[in-house]
Amino acid sequence: MCGIVGYVGRNADDRALEVVMEGLARLEYRGYDSAGVALVTDAGILSDKRAGKLENLRKALARQPLAPSRTAIGHTRWATHGGPTDENAHPHHGGEGDRLALIHNGIIENFHALKNELLADGVEFTSETDTEVAAKLVGREYDRTGDLTAAMRAVVNRLEGAFTLLAVHADSPGVVVGARRNSPLVVGVGDGEFFLGSDVAAFIGYTRNAVELGQDQIVTITPDGYAVTDFAGNPAAGRGYEVTWDASAAEKGGFATFMEKEIHDQPQAVADTLLGRFDEDGCLVLDEVRISEEDLRRITRITIVACGTAAYAGMVAKYAIEHWTRIPVEVALAHEFRYCDPIVDETTLVVSISQSGETMDTLMAVKHANELGALTLSICNTHGSTIPRESDAVLYTHAGPEIAVASTKAFLAQITASYILGLYLAQLRGETYADDAREVMAELRQIPAKIEDLLGRMDRVKEIAYFMADSRAVLFLGRHVGFPVALEGALKLKELAYIHAEGFAAGELKHGPIALIEPGQPVFIVVPAPDTPHELHKKVVSNIQEIRARGARTIVIAEDGDEDVVPFANEVIRVPQTAPLLAPLLAVVPLQVFALHLSTAKDLDVDQPRNLAKSVTVE
Ligand code: AGP
């Protein structure tokens, strides 16, 4: 997820660079591993781009100022293809004399094939990015037609995946062209000046008149106005509205907190993590896997090392990967792994899961695994971070930057990436076939829409949270893949509302914890799908009966249509139906929302809870 800004002004004061830099500063939360700008000037395209935070670019521009301009684009990056380096930063250039500059937010799934086509034509590349492929294609089209809008239209009809593109050309001063598919783009309508942005934070400092573009639309802005077409060139219209948020709220997409915004980012986080994982033959592909297929086939054991929420993602992964690959999977808390004399050899795959890629406990576990000769693979959300660099292979999640300390979208992306890894290994080892993997992936592809649907029906969860604001202790029960969901729900409540909360395997209750049940004790129960094997659903319904009989206040997370739970539930929170192994991607959402609202009800700091840090870089 990246921040993009475009600007065209009529004003003689040539403030394009100032406008774009302010927009990037407000969008930096969307990605901050590199930044760049491109201006259209009498001397052609002038651009500068730097790895690292926006401040690095600001300092570079102070040292070497660019000429004034009234047309500019700017980009702050969250790397998806290619690490956070100067060369991979946007903008990228194309066309004769590199007179075109282009920036991009998203993932172009078919960029390998397009890049090979260009390489065969003798085109040279300076970066590893999918974006540079688009820049070369649009530049080549512009050289044919001299029309930037037509060039963009010709190219976007060849792209697959998720993208918002902005382009400028030296020969078209006063013009910025944007296009979007499965990625946001908003027009800002000023007085004699027009803006483009990945969201309104890009221009909230200049205008509140916004026009949101729809799927597969192209927009051309000039000092005289803006024009919208579809990808076929037919006139189209965006959705105009007045931005009522203040600048701070705009950086959170209009939500009150980053956590609430990131909960609502989850459909996109899952969708983006799935993007580009299949090749033309329907076989799974992974990022930057530097482990040979032969070595992957020889794996006899998998050990997942992680901490906190990431460890709970690993626990979900265990059920799925073992089911698909028949390889034994152990989940070890990273800070325990090094000291338990682990059984590891060259046929062990140690999978680390980490949003930040900097968690010291997890990093030290990976280093220990390397010393013991294991194969190491990192599931990580932060390009260029330390843990992927220490690993033999990496599978990036594409959740975008997660600002809130309490992890939400990264958790869902980690689970999604773990499923992809499991299916890949199963396919490689012949434990499952491409069509089986395709079937699971097809159900996975339904998940974003189901999360979106679920997020639209959280009002009752909010009411329950406010009703329970004075709770002293809350219990969470789950079984099978619902067990790590219960643990995650408890962790969210601890982190955000500072309430004692504990997750249990539902079957474990009668072996002691049921002594905790007393009249009025709130208990969340994550109920498996009715069609889960081994009558697990029936067993969990029995567990609900056991605690209800002892006076517990039962809040049940159950699938749409599951009526068996109703007689024993004080509250039923419905989630959409899905395959049993994929259920955590939905069941956890109400628990996230509950913790968020209970924290808000207690007027606590949702995004930066006490005693916590986003990345624990000490052991
Ligand atoms: C989750 O809400 C917590 N912030 C914490 O448990 C976190 O998941 C854990 O510290 C691991 O962080 P990482 O994913 O960056 O390695």
Side-chain angles (χ1 to χ4, degrees):
M1 183 167 84
C2 306
I4 61 173
V5 187
Y7 175 78
V8 177
R10 184 198 326 270
N11 303 328
D13 65 3
D14 297 322
R15 61 177 188 165
L17 181 59
E18 169 209 322
V19 170
V20 165
M21 289 300 284
E22 178 176 332
L24 291 180
R26 293 187 189 283
L27 290 174
E28 197 168 16
Y29 74 88
R30 292 177 65 91
Y32 37 74
D33 57 38
S34 58
V37 294
L39 310 180
V40 180
T41 72
D42 297 340
I45 294 286
L46 299 181
S47 64
D48 198 338
K49 56 184 186 176
R50 303 291 164 139
K53 288 200 177 269
L54 184 61
E55 189 52 28
N56 289 0
L57 176 63
R58 201 186 306 279
K59 287 176 183 166
L61 291 169
R63 290 193 301 272
Q64 299 172 301
L66 299 177
S69 169
R70 63 181 184 143
T71 308
I73 55 176
H75 185 272
T76 181
R77 184 171 184 242
W78 185 260
T80 54
H81 290 84
T85 62
D86 288 359
E87 296 74 20
N88 289 334
H90 304 197
H92 290 283
H93 297 272
E96 196 64 38
D98 276 352
R99 292 170 65 76
L100 175 124
L102 178 139
I103 58 179
H104 167 224
N105 175 23
I107 297 163
I108 298 171
E109 283 193 281
N110 60 332
F111 87 95
H112 284 296
L114 295 170
K115 183 166 185 174
N116 290 337
E117 175 191 307
L118 290 165
L119 288 168
D121 286 350
V123 174
E124 293 180 0
F125 288 84
T126 58
S127 81
E128 310 158 79
T129 66
D130 52 347
T131 307
E132 192 180 6
V133 174
K136 294 295 192 272
L137 290 170
V138 178
R140 189 170 65 172
E141 282 301 322
Y142 184 91
D143 291 342
R144 286 181 183 145
T145 65
D147 178 334
L148 192 52
T149 305
M152 179 69 81
R153 183 165 60 244
V155 173
V156 294
N157 280 296
R158 300 190 64 198
L159 304 183
E160 296 167 13
F163 51 85
T164 300
L165 301 172
L166 297 191
V168 290
H169 196 284
D171 299 344
S172 294
V175 178
V176 178
V177 176
R180 68 154 301 244
R181 169 178 284 168
N182 298 327
S183 178
L185 182 58
V186 187
V187 182
V189 181
D191 176 14
E193 54 187 4
F194 292 84
F195 308 78
L196 292 173
S198 15
D199 64 48
V200 296
F203 50 75
I204 190 76
Y206 299 94
T207 180
R208 291 180 177 278
N209 297 323
V211 176
E212 186 178 5
L213 295 187
Q215 181 75 321
D216 288 7
Q217 287 190 339
I218 293 171
V219 63
T220 303
I221 61 171
T222 70
D224 302 323
Y226 68 94
V228 182
T229 72
D230 61 19
F231 278 11
N234 306 308
R239 178 181 68 84
Y241 64 99
E242 175 82 12
V243 180
T244 55
W245 309 320
D246 64 24
S248 166
E251 289 170 10
K252 303 179 184 91
F255 293 101
T257 62
F258 276 112
M259 183 182 176
E260 187 176 13
K261 175 189 171 297
E262 288 156 9
I263 287 173
H264 285 78
D265 282 347
Q266 292 186 123
Q268 196 66 48
V270 172
D272 286 353
T273 300
L274 289 170
L275 273 181
R277 301 302 187 186
F278 265 108
D279 66 17
E280 297 77 29
D281 303 323
C283 292
L284 283 159
V285 291
L286 296 190
D287 295 306
E288 303 163 41
V289 177
R290 297 181 290 277
I291 302 177
S292 70
E293 289 191 0
E294 182 191 355
D295 283 343
L296 289 174
R297 286 195 183 91
R298 287 175 42 236
I299 293 168
T300 59
R301 162 204 306 267
I302 294 173
T303 297
I304 296 173
V305 295
C307 301
T309 292
Y312 301 149
M315 290 176 68
V316 173
K318 167 186 167 64
Y319 291 97
I321 294 174
E322 285 187 336
H323 178 72
W324 289 323
T325 67
R326 311 315 296 155
I327 302 171
V329 179
E330 174 200 8
V331 181
L333 289 173
H335 41 76
E336 289 290 321
F337 175 72
R338 260 196 320 148
Y339 308 111
C340 65
D341 193 10
I343 300 169
V344 168
D345 64 23
E346 70 284 354
T347 66
T348 305
L349 176 66
V350 173
V351 178
S352 60
I353 302 179
S354 176
Q355 189 285 130
S356 62
E358 300 298 345
T359 298
M360 189 55 72
D361 289 322
T362 307
L363 174 59
M364 299 313 284
V366 170
K367 288 188 170 186
H368 190 54
N370 284 327
E371 289 160 8
L372 296 174
L375 297 166
T376 51
L377 182 144
S378 165
I379 292 176
C380 185
N381 194 46
T382 308
H383 262 256
S385 55
T386 308
I387 293 173
R389 283 205 308 270
E390 290 291 330
S391 303
D392 296 319
V394 58
L395 176 58
Y396 281 112
T397 52
H398 295 151
E402 188 175 68
I403 309 297
V405 167
S407 185
T408 51
K409 63 178 182 175
F411 178 62
L412 266 60
Q414 288 161 356
I415 293 173
T416 304
S418 303
Y419 290 151
I420 291 165
L421 175 62
L423 289 167
Y424 175 76
L425 290 173
Q427 191 173 281
L428 207 59
R429 300 160 61 90
E431 291 291 349
T432 184
Y433 302 100
D435 49 0
D436 294 350
R438 256 200 298 273
E439 190 179 314
V440 176
M441 289 293 279
E443 178 54 35
L444 263 174
R445 284 206 177 94
Q446 301 303 314
I447 293 291
K450 291 183 177 180
I451 298 171
E452 202 69 65
D453 164 53
L454 181 55
L455 287 169
R457 37 178 166 148
M458 289 286 104
D459 290 350
R460 184 57 189 152
V461 173
K462 180 174 180 178
E463 289 169 4
I464 295 169
Y466 275 77
F467 174 75
M468 288 177 60
D470 298 328
S471 301
R472 307 286 299 157
V474 180
L475 307 183
F476 294 78
L477 304 184
R479 213 163 178 142
H480 193 252
V481 288
F483 172 34
V485 173
L487 294 173
E488 172 61 8
L491 176 60
K492 285 286 144 321
L493 203 57
K494 283 180 263 196
E495 281 188 289
L496 289 157
Y498 314 154
I499 289 176
H500 178 72
E502 195 161 353
F504 295 103
E508 185 63 11
L509 205 66
K510 54 189 175 297
H511 298 286
I514 201 166
L516 290 171
I517 303 300
E518 56 191 22
Q521 169 64 54
V523 183
F524 283 84
I525 305 98
V526 179
V527 179
D531 60 350
T532 303
H534 316 305
E535 294 194 322
L536 273 184
H537 175 266
K538 186 176 168 186
K539 291 184 171 66
V540 172
V541 172
S542 301
N543 295 143
I544 300 172
Q545 283 179 275
E546 288 158 11
I547 58 177
R548 186 68 187 283
R550 290 164 174 80
R553 177 171 162 70
T554 53
I555 305 155
V556 172
I557 314 285
E559 273 196 355
D560 291 333
D562 180 354
E563 294 308 316
D564 296 348
V565 300
V566 173
F568 316 108
N570 292 92
E571 296 280 352
V572 180
I573 298 168
R574 295 289 180 187
V575 296
Q577 295 175 348
T578 188
L581 279 175
L582 309 188
L585 293 173
L586 297 168
V588 77
V589 173
L591 304 184
Q592 295 168 338
V593 172
F594 172 76
L596 163 74
H597 288 305
L598 209 156
S599 176
T600 307
K602 297 180 72 174
D603 198 23
L604 298 174
D605 186 337
V606 168
D607 286 335
Q608 297 181 338
R610 70 185 182 195
N611 308 338
L612 294 176
K614 184 58 188 170
S615 178
V616 182
T617 54
V618 293
E619 277 194 290

